[in-house]
Amino acid sequence: MKTVAFFGLGNMGRGMVLNLLNSGYNVHVYDPIDENMQEAGARGATIFDKPEAAVLEADFVVSMLPSGTHVYSLLLGADNSEAIVDCASKETIFIDCSTIESETARAIGSELDSLGFAFCDAPVSGGVAGAAAGTLTFIVGGTEENVRTISPLLSAMGNNIFHAGSVGTGQIAKICNNLLLSILMAGTSEALQLAIDNGLDPTVVSNIMSKSSGNNWTLSHYNPCPGVMPNVPSSHNYEGGFMVNLMNKDLNLAMQTAELTCSQTPMGKLAQSLYKEHQQEGNGERDFSSIFEMYSNNTRP
Ligand code: NAD
C-alpha cells in the first residue's frame, strides 16, 4: 500500500484526502488547524502534529496550500522553519496542487532537483465540489516520467489529467484558464442584464445564446442570473462555489505572469478591476458569479 503525506486540509484538501483513503492509499496528514486534522483522522487518515514526521515513510508528498510562500516554506524551509524535504527518502515524489506563481513552482522544482528529488506542479480545476466528488481536473507540469508515475495517484482524486509541459507550466495553463473564465463570467453577466433591461426573460435569452455563437460554460453550466438554473450558486444567494477572493488571487497571478512576458492583457486588466471592486464592496467570500450583481444592482429605473 502506497503512503501519501498530505498537507493542507482546507476546503479542497479535505475532499482529496477522503478520495485517496477510499482508493486504498495510506494517508498521513498535517494541517496547523487541529479541527481539520481530527476530521481527516476520523475518516481513516493518520494525523501528525509535526509536518516532518508525516513524510518519513511517504512515497508521495501532496500539498494543497493557500500560496507559494506556504508551499516553499513547508517543502524547503524558511524563517528558521524546518524543511520537510530533509526527512523524505530520495524516492519520494513531491506534488504541489495549490495555485501559486509559476516562478515559485519552477524555483521549488529546481531546488528539489538539485537535492535529488522529483517534483511536479499539479494545480486543479473543478472546485470544492470536484474535490469532494473525486472529479478534479489536474493540470500537470513535470517530466513525462514523473507525470506517468503520479497519474494513478491523481486518478484517485480526479477524472482528467493533462500534461502541460515542464515544471511550472501547469500553473501557467491553470491561470490562463481562470483568466478566460473571469472574462466569460463578466461578459455573460453583461449580455444577460442587457437582455433583461430590454424586457427579455433571462431563461429564454440564456437558451437562445446557449444554442448560438455566444455559448460558453458560464452561460450553459454556471449561469450567473438567479433563477435560471437550480443547482448553481446564483440561485442560492451566491453561496458556495468559487470565491471572489480566489478569483482575484488567480487574476493577480495571471497579471504578474503577463508582465514577465510583456503579454497584452487588456481584457484581463478590465476583468481584474471589476472583480477587485466587487471584492472591495464586501463580496470576497461569495461565489465569483455574483459579479452579475455589478450589472443588475446598477440598472437605472
Ligand atoms: P483553504 O484556505 O480552505 O485551505 C488551506 C489549508 O492549508 C488550511 O486548512 C490551512 O490551515 C492549511 N495550511 C496552511 N499552512 C499549512 C502548512 N504549512 N502545512 C499544512 N497545512 C497548512 O484553501 P482551499 O480552498 O482548500 O485552496 C487550496 C489551494 O487550492 C489554493 O491554492 C487555491 O487557490 C486552490 N484552489 C482552490 C479552489 C477552490 O474552489 N477552493 C479551486 C481550485 C484551486
Side-chain angles (χ1 to χ4, degrees), residues 9-301:
L9 306 169
N11 292 323
M12 298 294 288
R14 77 166 52 94
M16 294 164 78
V17 161
L18 191 60
N19 286 307
L20 287 173
L21 289 165
N22 288 342
S23 296
Y25 285 92
N26 182 23
V27 187
H28 292 180
V29 293
Y30 172 78
D31 189 296
I33 300 176
D34 188 53
E35 195 185 327
N36 291 355
M37 289 236 279
Q38 296 307 330
E39 186 189 328
R43 292 173 167 189
T46 310
I47 60 179
F48 287 82
D49 56 8
K50 290 220 178 327
E52 306 81 46
V55 301
L56 280 176
E57 285 165 15
D59 300 289
F60 303 100
V61 168
V62 178
S63 44
M64 194 54 173
L65 304 180
S67 72
T69 315
H70 288 89
V71 181
Y72 189 95
S73 27
L74 173 73
L75 269 46
L76 291 155
D79 302 331
N80 301 326
S81 71
E82 288 195 56
I84 60 169
V85 70
D86 294 336
C87 299
S89 86
K90 284 287 190 267
E91 287 70 43
T92 306
I93 300 187
F94 288 78
I95 305 156
D96 179 44
C97 297
S98 328
T99 305
I100 66 171
E101 314 79 15
S102 63
E103 313 101 85
T104 307
R106 278 197 291 270
I108 291 171
S110 103
E111 287 194 40
L112 285 175
D113 184 54
S114 68
L115 296 169
F117 291 95
F119 172 76
C120 291
D121 53 311
V124 303
S125 181
V128 179
T135 56
L136 290 171
T137 291
F138 287 90
I139 310 162
V140 191
T143 65
E144 266 188 34
E145 187 191 346
N146 289 338
V147 176
R148 211 175 310 116
T149 309
I150 67 169
S151 286
L153 174 86
L154 301 184
S155 298
M157 302 179 279
N159 278 348
N160 297 301
I161 300 162
F162 292 106
H163 184 191
S166 57
V167 167
T169 58
Q171 297 294 349
I172 304 265
K174 156 80 189 179
I175 50 116
C176 288
N177 179 69
N178 280 22
L179 168 71
L180 177 59
L181 175 65
S182 71
I183 294 167
L184 290 172
M185 186 57 90
T188 296
S189 298
E190 199 163 302
L192 285 173
Q193 189 57 44
L194 177 63
I196 294 166
D197 292 345
N198 283 276
L200 274 78
D201 178 331
T203 302
V204 171
V205 83
S206 292
N207 286 339
I208 294 169
M209 293 197 295
S210 67
K211 295 280 178 258
S212 306
S213 45
N215 188 30
N216 70 83
W217 183 85
T218 69
L219 179 75
S220 55
H221 287 82
Y222 210 92
N223 199 292
C225 178
V228 172
M229 283 179 181
N231 296 319
V232 292
S234 61
S235 294
H236 301 280
N237 197 27
Y238 299 104
E239 282 164 12
F242 184 58
M243 281 193 291
V244 170
N245 285 340
L246 288 176
M247 181 52 94
N248 273 304
K249 172 190 156 179
D250 291 359
L251 282 170
N252 289 341
L253 289 174
M255 292 303 111
Q256 279 167 26
T257 305
E259 241 173 65
L260 290 174
T261 46
C262 299
S263 304
Q264 296 303 311
T265 52
M267 300 291 287
K269 286 197 185 91
L270 277 175
Q272 185 186 33
S273 72
L274 275 181
Y275 284 95
K276 222 182 241 170
E277 191 182 329
H278 192 48
Q279 184 180 35
Q280 282 159 358
E281 285 172 355
N283 296 298
E285 300 203 341
R286 302 175 81 203
D287 180 68
F288 80 114
S289 64
S290 61
I291 200 77
F292 179 77
E293 289 186 349
M294 286 200 88
Y295 299 90
S296 59
N297 290 348
N298 289 331
T299 300
R300 303 275 177 277

